[in-house]
């Protein structure tokens, strides 16, 4: 039987492990933490991410947890519209899911062909010609025909195989929270939860996950928000960080104030936003009868501005499943490893380029630059978001 090792049980690793197992591979999933668990935040899935999950056979699980996300337009902090909301065709509309719900669906998709080893932090990578690829910690080595590196932005495997890709700060920090449904503020009908507001170096996006278990809402429900601020992450306690957020976003349009007031310090998840610059030159490395592939943030970590990181990880997993479906160890599997790299490099490079343009727009500071940004936003943003949305919408899983 063909064997694969997947390093990392984040969204990308879980999707890849399940995909390979469902195609008949014997899979070992290695995770450095003692438990496999999801963040208590949420995630926007664009049509490409949804399509990738459907190609992976997870569409049924997704339908039960996804809440449609209407186009809310983009406002300035003074309430002026930068981009007016528009009606979006259902197939182009994104959805929002609670990460814990998505995690549960991905774990359900692992089936019984995946051996899970937690508490194993990979530190060694064997790439010796003629031998099977292998990874290990100080105590043991695990070899397989195929090794999938889904170990995130700080990937040990990528550092060894693609040292040219370095991790750099994206120049901003992000705070996210899900306010549980039972603490969610009651807003008047003319003031919907969903909104996006863009100021000088600051951005606030909110989306409703619905009521717990409600039809058309995520299983856990609640209100998700993400705040982005130019600069480094903050070392202070969650209480102080929340106080800072309330100060930074004071006077921003409703419902931002209500949402921050309803958030508790324990709800907050802060993250320094980082990316890979440059991207790896390859995502596939033939070794022995198969080789290594990089997947998800390990391959193409990027800022979250277009909400594409996990969507692209699911595309990676769907592509890997397609190119390896018939590939037996030896020349065919080595060719599949090359083919994965060839297919994924241009696709992810395009999305990274668009995300970087959005980064530049978001991080504009200074009054003149800001005025230019606001003027440009009216022109650039619909174009930029339009091309990002159509790139997202157009992706089809390879057959
Ligand atoms: C603020 C913010 C908002 C975002 N919003 C969205 C969004 O709306 N939509 C979207 O599509 N994307 C979004 N993203 C991006 C998305 O979260 C990531 O792209 C995605 O979670 C990456 O998944 P991954 O599995 O590749 O990596 P990770 O989630 O980082 O998982 C890596 C796993 O590998 C494990 N690991 C690491 N090193 C080792 C090792 N040496 N040995 C064993 N295990 C190891 C880790 O413990 C972890 O479990 C957002 C990101 C941020 C920061």
């Amino acid at each position: 039987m063909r064997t694969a090792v997947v390093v990392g049980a984040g969204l990308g690793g879980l999707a890849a492990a399940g995909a390979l197992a469902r195609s008949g591979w014997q899979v070992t999933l290695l995770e450095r933490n003692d438990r496999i668990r999801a963040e208590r935040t949420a995630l926007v899935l664009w049509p490409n991410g949804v399509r990738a999950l459907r190609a992976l056979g997870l569409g049924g699980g997704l339908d039960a947890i996804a809440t449609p996300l209407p186009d809310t337009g983009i406002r300035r902090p003074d309430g002026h519209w930068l981009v007016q909301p528009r009606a979006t065709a259902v197939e182009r509309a994104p959805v929002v899911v609670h990460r814990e719900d998505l995690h549960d669906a991905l774990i359900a998709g692992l089936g019984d062909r995946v051996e899970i080893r937690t508490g194993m932090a990979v530190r060694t990578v064997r790439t010796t010609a003629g031998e099977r690829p292998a990874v290990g910690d100080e105590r043991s080595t695990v070899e397989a025909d195929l090794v999938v590196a889904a170990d995130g932005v700080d990937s040990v495997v990528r550092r060894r195989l693609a040292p040219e890709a370095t991790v750099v700060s994206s120049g901003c920090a992000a705070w996210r929270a899900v306010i549980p449904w039972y603490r969610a503020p009651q807003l008047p009908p003319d003031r919907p939860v969903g909104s996006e507001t863009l100021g000088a170096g600051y951005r606030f996006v909110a989306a409703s996950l619905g009521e717990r278990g409600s039809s058309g809402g995520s299983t856990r429900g609640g209100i998700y928000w993400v705040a982005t601020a130019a600069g480094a992450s903050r070392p202070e306690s969650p209480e102080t960080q929340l106080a800072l957020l309330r100060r930074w976003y004071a006077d921003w349009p409703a419902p931002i104030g209500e949402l921050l007031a309803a958030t508790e310090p324990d709800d907050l998840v802060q993250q320094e936003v980082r990316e890979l610059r440059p991207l790896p030159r390859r995502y596939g490395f033939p070794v022995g009868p198969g080789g290594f592939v990089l997947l998800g943030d390990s391959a193409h970590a990027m800022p979250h501005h277009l909400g594409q990181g996990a969507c692209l990880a699911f595309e990676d997993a769907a592509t890997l499943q397609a190119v390896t479906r018939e590939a037996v160890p030896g020349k065919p599997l080595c060719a599949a490893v090359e083919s994965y790299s060839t297919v994924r490099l241009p696709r992810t490079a395009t999305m990274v380029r668009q995300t970087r343009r959005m980064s530049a727009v978001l991080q504009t500071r200074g009054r003149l630059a800001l005025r230019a940004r606001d003027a440009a936003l009216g022109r650039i943003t619909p174009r930029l978001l339009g091309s990002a949305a159509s790139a997202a919408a157009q992706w089809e899983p390879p057959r």
Side-chain angles (χ1 to χ4, degrees):
M1 182 181 277
R2 301 178 295 175
T3 56
V5 172
V6 177
V7 185
L11 295 174
L14 288 171
L20 292 170
R22 288 190 296 281
S23 303
W25 292 70
Q26 177 71 51
V27 181
T28 307
L29 176 60
L30 309 178
E31 168 56 46
R32 68 178 167 192
N33 291 324
D34 291 335
R35 276 182 51 211
I36 296 183
R37 64 171 162 244
E39 277 172 1
R40 268 193 305 126
T41 62
L43 194 67
V44 175
L45 291 175
W46 290 85
N48 56 320
V50 171
R51 214 166 285 151
L53 286 171
R54 291 198 193 290
L56 290 168
L58 299 169
L62 180 66
D63 291 339
I65 58 172
T67 308
L69 198 63
D71 183 339
T72 56
I74 305 178
R75 286 176 302 177
R76 287 196 318 217
D78 62 6
H80 180 86
W81 286 108
L82 286 167
V83 181
Q84 293 274 355
R86 281 173 311 174
T88 317
V90 178
E91 66 281 4
R92 293 177 77 96
V95 297
V96 58
V97 291
H98 198 296
R99 282 195 188 230
E100 291 178 321
D101 289 341
L102 185 58
H103 222 251
D104 290 349
L106 292 171
I107 285 178
L110 292 181
D112 54 11
R113 276 238 180 95
V114 178
E115 182 199 346
I116 301 174
R117 291 198 208 165
T118 53
M120 179 162 177
V122 165
R123 291 188 208 290
T124 60
V125 181
R126 188 179 79 197
T127 59
T128 319
E131 286 193 52
R132 296 204 320 155
V135 289
D137 60 4
E138 282 84 20
R139 288 164 298 165
S140 60
T141 300
V142 191
E143 56 175 36
D145 302 318
L146 178 68
V147 174
V148 180
D151 47 345
V153 60
D154 293 310
S155 170
V156 169
V157 184
R158 187 203 60 243
R159 281 182 207 279
R160 172 70 195 282
L161 296 170
E164 71 278 8
T166 45
V167 181
V168 297
S169 165
S170 305
C172 58
W175 288 261
R176 284 171 289 169
V178 171
I179 306 167
W181 61 274
Y182 54 84
R183 262 201 276 122
Q186 291 302 320
L187 300 170
D190 62 335
R191 207 186 296 164
V193 168
S195 60
E196 170 163 358
T197 314
L198 195 53
Y202 294 86
R203 181 192 193 199
F204 196 99
V205 179
S208 170
L209 293 159
E211 292 220 346
R212 187 193 176 98
S214 65
S215 127
S218 92
T219 309
R220 285 176 170 84
I223 298 178
Y224 170 55
W225 61 255
V226 50
T228 308
S233 53
R234 306 290 302 210
E236 294 92 343
S237 67
E239 288 76 7
T240 309
Q241 289 177 32
L242 191 52
L244 276 174
L245 287 165
R246 287 175 181 151
R247 177 140 40 94
W248 291 341
Y249 293 95
D251 304 328
W252 280 44
I256 296 173
E258 287 101 319
L259 297 184
L260 288 173
T263 304
E264 295 189 352
D266 277 354
D267 300 331
L268 269 193
V269 176
Q270 185 200 202
Q271 197 160 349
E272 188 197 352
V273 181
R274 295 180 301 154
E275 61 192 276
L276 288 180
R277 269 184 196 247
L279 289 179
R281 277 194 288 270
R282 327 159 47 89
Y283 292 155
F285 305 84
V287 172
F292 293 83
V293 294
L294 306 180
L295 181 145
D297 277 9
S298 146
H300 41 67
M302 66 185 75
H304 57 289
H305 309 315
L306 295 176
Q308 278 292 334
C311 294
L312 291 175
F314 297 142
E315 286 188 13
D316 292 343
T319 305
L320 186 64
Q321 185 184 43
V323 299
T324 58
R325 191 169 285 124
E326 310 291 339
V328 291
K331 274 195 182 145
L333 185 54
C334 290
V337 166
E338 292 276 18
S339 160
Y340 169 82
S341 191
T342 311
V343 172
R344 294 309 294 156
L345 272 173
R347 166 71 180 160
T348 53
T350 302
M351 298 313 289
V352 165
R353 234 182 354 259
Q354 285 175 337
T355 302
R356 286 186 187 155
R357 275 191 221 132
M358 197 65 194
S359 277
V361 171
L362 287 172
Q363 286 170 27
T364 313
R365 292 179 107 164
R367 200 182 305 175
L368 275 178
L370 249 186
R371 217 177 277 159
R373 199 252 342 239
D374 283 349
L377 258 176
R379 293 192 309 273
I380 294 173
T381 312
R383 244 191 5 243
L384 188 57
L385 292 178
S387 63
S390 51
Q394 276 158 14
W395 181 82
E396 291 290 342
R399 298 188 191 281

